[in-house]
């Protein structure tokens, strides 16, 4: 029975799907539209710094890109750009791996994808390419220095400028980075010139350039028309409601000179007529909006810690694989006091040296701490000064 209903539905709609039909080609076209839409969303989230939404869309895209209609077409260029953006988003998380070699940092992996795209003629080696390449080279070293891991910074430098891979033009950059590492100064002016902000802007420019190439944006245009139509309809409904309210107020003013009984009768009649109109005009049309990631803050505080999988992204077409890691489901800061680690103290000193004591919010934004607030940073700084842990230079 179900099979016959399915056949009838096909016959009335798109027609029966015999092996000779173009169903696979239809799937390919629709998949291309969806790929363009998801790529557009990733670019918007990346540019706006909405990294939680970016990760959710990336995870949804992960399985989708394995379809043959995506892998076997020029959509692979967009997949590669998404891989670069994903690695940059996780650039400061050195525990996240994207390659089989666990020593490769996220930004090193992004650099290898970028070079591969140029080698496969997916990208031109123009000014934007060179700028992004240099920023990835410098920031992959700078991130290790920010973490206080100068040994790892030297290892990253050696991997990036191997003799069989580096050109003669790369040698000045290598020498400069080597000097910066030896000085052990994460706030060195040279590193600031190649800042993470510049890296994000350059990557966004590359993503937008790829999107603006001659591709289908059917779903984006269709969704835009629906949203605009809903806004127009809501505006008209609000205008009609305002008219009804205005007429009602005018009627009340005109009848104010009549007797008390007439006034009550007129009000009753007007209210009845208005109620009939409002049955249709005052219905609120609320557009469904997805819940933001901040909604997790409403969960109970005594939630148990759960085991989830850490993001791991490979360069063979898969955006995300996984590795186990324990993290708390509740995103709020735990009330139990936690001792300050040496690494946190070092990060606090670096932040104070760079932005000055008092700029706690900036320091919290630019350096890694274990669920600390700006107030905690201020209190810790005061304690460190009392204990003589802060030099006059700091």
């Amino acid at each position: 029975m179900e099979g016959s209903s399915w056949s009838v539905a096909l016959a009335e709609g798109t027609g029966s799907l015999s092996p000779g039909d173009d169903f696979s080609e239809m799937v390919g076209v629709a998949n291309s539209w969806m790929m363009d839409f998801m790529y557009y969303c990733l670019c918007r989230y990346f540019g706006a710094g909405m990294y939680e939404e970016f990760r959710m869309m990336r995870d949804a895209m992960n399985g989708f890109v394995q379809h043959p209609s995506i892998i076997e077409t020029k959509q692979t260029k967009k997949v590669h750009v998404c891989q670069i953006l994903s690695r940059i988003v996780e650039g400061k998380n050195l525990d996240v791996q994207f390659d089989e070699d666990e020593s490769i940092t996220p930004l090193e992996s992004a650099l290898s994808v970028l070079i591969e795209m140029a080698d496969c003629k997916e990208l031109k080696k123009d000014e934007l390419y060179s700028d992004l390449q240099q920023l990835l080279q410098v920031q992959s070293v700078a991130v290790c220095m920010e973490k206080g891991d100068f040994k790892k910074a030297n290892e990253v430098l050696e991997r990036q400028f191997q003799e069989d891979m580096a050109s003669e033009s790369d040698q000045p950059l290598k020498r400069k980075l080597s000097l910066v590492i030896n000085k052990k100064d994460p706030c060195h002016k040279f590193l600031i010139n190649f800042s993470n902000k510049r890296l994000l802007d350059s990557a966004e420019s590359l993503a937008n350039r790829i999107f603006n190439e001659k591709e289908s944006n059917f779903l984006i245009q269709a969704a835009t028309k629906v949203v605009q139509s809903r806004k127009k309809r809501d505006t008209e409904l609000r205008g009609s409601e305002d008219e009804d309210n205005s007429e009602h107020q005018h009627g009340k003013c005109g009848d104010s000179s009549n007797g008390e009984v007439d006034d009550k009768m007129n009000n009753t009649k007007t209210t009845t007529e208005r109620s009939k109109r409002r049955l249709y005009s005052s219905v609120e049309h609320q557009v469904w909006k997805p819940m933001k990631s901040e909604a997790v803050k409403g969960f109970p505080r005594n939630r148990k810690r759960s085991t989830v999988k850490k993001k791991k992204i490979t360069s063979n077409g898969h955006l995300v694989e996984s590795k186990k890691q324990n993290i708390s489901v509740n995103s709020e800061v735990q009330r139990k006091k936690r001792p300050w680690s040496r690494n946190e103290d070092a990060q606090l000193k670096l932040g104070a040296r760079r932005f000055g004591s008092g700029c706690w919010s900036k320091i919290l934004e630019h350096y890694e701490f274990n669920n600390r607030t700006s107030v905690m940073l201020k209190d810790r700084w005061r304690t460190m000064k009392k204990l003589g842990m802060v030099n006059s230079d700091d």
Side-chain angles (χ1 to χ4, degrees):
M1 186 70 181
E2 291 180 0
S4 60
S5 300
W6 170 244
S7 300
V8 171
L10 288 174
E12 291 177 351
T14 59
S16 59
L17 297 177
S18 62
D21 284 326
D22 298 328
F23 180 68
S24 60
E25 189 173 344
M26 291 160 50
V27 170
V29 172
N31 282 347
S32 178
W33 292 343
M34 289 187 283
M35 178 65 191
D36 287 337
F37 181 74
M38 286 190 286
Y39 180 85
Y40 173 76
C41 290
L42 283 177
C43 292
R44 290 294 297 268
Y45 290 145
F46 182 87
M50 301 169 66
Y51 297 136
E52 287 304 314
E53 290 80 0
F54 177 94
R55 291 183 179 100
M56 286 190 287
M57 179 60 71
R58 178 196 64 192
D59 293 346
M61 190 178 180
N62 180 45
F64 179 75
V65 297
Q66 306 308 314
H67 195 277
S69 64
I70 300 299
I71 296 175
E72 296 172 3
T73 65
K74 56 187 175 181
Q75 294 282 12
T76 52
K77 183 191 293 187
K78 290 183 178 178
V79 174
H80 291 152
V81 173
C82 290
Q83 289 176 337
I84 292 174
L85 299 184
S86 296
R87 286 151 172 76
I88 291 176
V89 166
E90 306 295 347
K92 292 182 180 288
N93 301 325
L94 298 182
D95 292 332
V96 177
Q97 272 81 45
F98 293 86
D99 298 85
E100 292 182 5
D101 184 353
E102 294 188 356
S103 65
I104 302 297
T105 63
L107 294 183
E108 284 183 278
S109 184
L111 179 61
S112 66
V113 176
L114 180 71
I115 293 173
E116 183 180 347
M117 289 184 70
D119 292 341
C120 295
K121 308 301 182 183
E122 289 183 344
L123 288 179
K124 294 180 179 179
K125 292 187 177 181
D126 54 11
E127 184 178 352
L128 177 59
Y129 170 85
S130 300
D131 188 45
L132 183 55
Q133 182 184 19
Q134 275 197 340
L135 285 165
L136 286 169
Q137 288 172 325
V138 174
Q139 274 298 305
S140 60
V141 172
V143 167
C144 297
M145 293 181 65
E146 284 180 14
K147 304 291 184 181
D149 196 341
F150 300 103
K151 180 181 177 182
K152 192 175 186 68
N154 268 313
E155 292 173 357
V156 170
L157 181 65
E158 291 302 320
R159 278 197 297 268
Q160 289 192 84
F161 296 97
Q162 295 176 17
E163 292 183 2
D164 58 335
M165 296 176 60
S167 62
E168 193 65 31
S169 59
D170 292 329
Q171 294 309 311
L173 179 60
K174 180 182 179 181
R175 287 192 294 270
K176 186 65 178 178
L177 284 173
S178 181
L179 289 172
V180 172
I181 295 173
N182 290 335
K183 290 184 178 181
K184 296 185 178 181
D185 182 9
C187 302
H188 196 282
K189 185 181 292 186
F190 180 77
L191 299 181
I192 295 175
N193 290 336
F194 291 87
S195 65
N196 188 65
K197 175 66 167 59
R198 271 191 64 193
L199 173 61
L200 295 175
D201 291 342
S202 184
E204 184 183 6
S205 297
L206 174 65
N208 289 334
R209 175 195 288 183
I210 301 300
F211 179 77
N212 290 329
E213 291 178 358
K214 190 67 176 178
E215 296 288 350
S216 166
N217 56 354
F218 174 79
L219 274 185
I220 300 167
Q221 291 176 347
T224 302
K225 287 180 181 179
V226 170
V227 171
Q228 291 174 346
S229 176
R230 286 177 178 173
K231 287 183 177 180
K232 182 179 179 182
R233 182 180 60 191
D234 290 345
T235 302
E236 291 173 350
L237 286 172
R238 283 194 294 270
S240 175
E241 203 171 300
D242 291 341
E243 266 185 45
D244 292 342
N245 291 335
S246 177
E247 289 176 7
H248 177 55
Q249 293 296 332
H250 180 72
K252 286 178 68 177
C253 293
D255 295 337
S256 60
S257 59
N258 295 336
E260 203 172 294
V261 176
D262 292 339
D263 190 30
K264 287 182 179 178
M265 291 178 64
N266 286 335
N267 282 344
T268 303
K269 183 179 178 182
T270 306
T271 304
T272 304
E273 292 176 353
R274 178 168 162 268
S275 298
K276 289 179 182 178
R277 287 195 295 268
R278 284 178 63 84
L279 178 65
Y280 301 97
S281 65
S282 66
V283 177
E284 293 293 332
H285 294 268
Q286 296 183 352
V287 180
W288 176 84
K289 297 180 179 179
M291 292 178 63
K292 293 187 176 179
S293 57
E294 284 79 8
V296 74
K297 293 184 179 178
F299 289 3
R301 290 176 183 264
N302 58 352
R303 273 293 184 90
K304 295 182 179 179
R305 293 171 70 87
S306 64
T307 301
V308 299
K309 292 189 175 181
K310 185 191 291 186
K311 307 294 182 193
K312 183 178 178 182
I313 308 177
T314 62
S315 58
N316 60 353
H318 291 70
L319 286 177
V320 184
E321 290 181 6
S322 60
K323 186 175 180 181
K324 288 187 178 178
Q325 177 193 20
N326 288 326
I327 62 172
S328 174
V329 174
N330 192 346
S331 62
E332 294 183 357
V333 178
Q334 301 296 324
R335 293 186 178 274
K336 184 178 178 181
K337 288 187 176 181
R338 295 179 307 281
W340 282 71
S341 65
R342 290 183 179 180
N343 183 54
E344 286 181 301
D345 287 343
Q347 293 289 301
L348 184 55
K349 287 182 180 180
L350 290 173
R353 187 187 306 168
R354 180 178 177 184
F355 298 108
S357 59
C359 300
W360 309 119
S361 297
K362 277 191 176 181
I363 295 172
L364 185 64
E365 180 182 352
H366 287 81
Y367 292 88
E368 297 292 330
F369 297 96
N370 183 18
N371 285 336
R372 305 294 184 183
T373 65
S374 56
V375 176
M376 292 179 181
L377 266 59
K378 180 183 70 174
D379 293 341
R380 180 58 180 172
W381 184 255
R382 187 185 300 121
T383 302
M384 290 171 67
K385 289 179 73 175
K386 287 180 180 179
L387 297 175
M389 297 169 64
V390 179
N391 299 325
S392 58
D393 294 339
D394 298 324

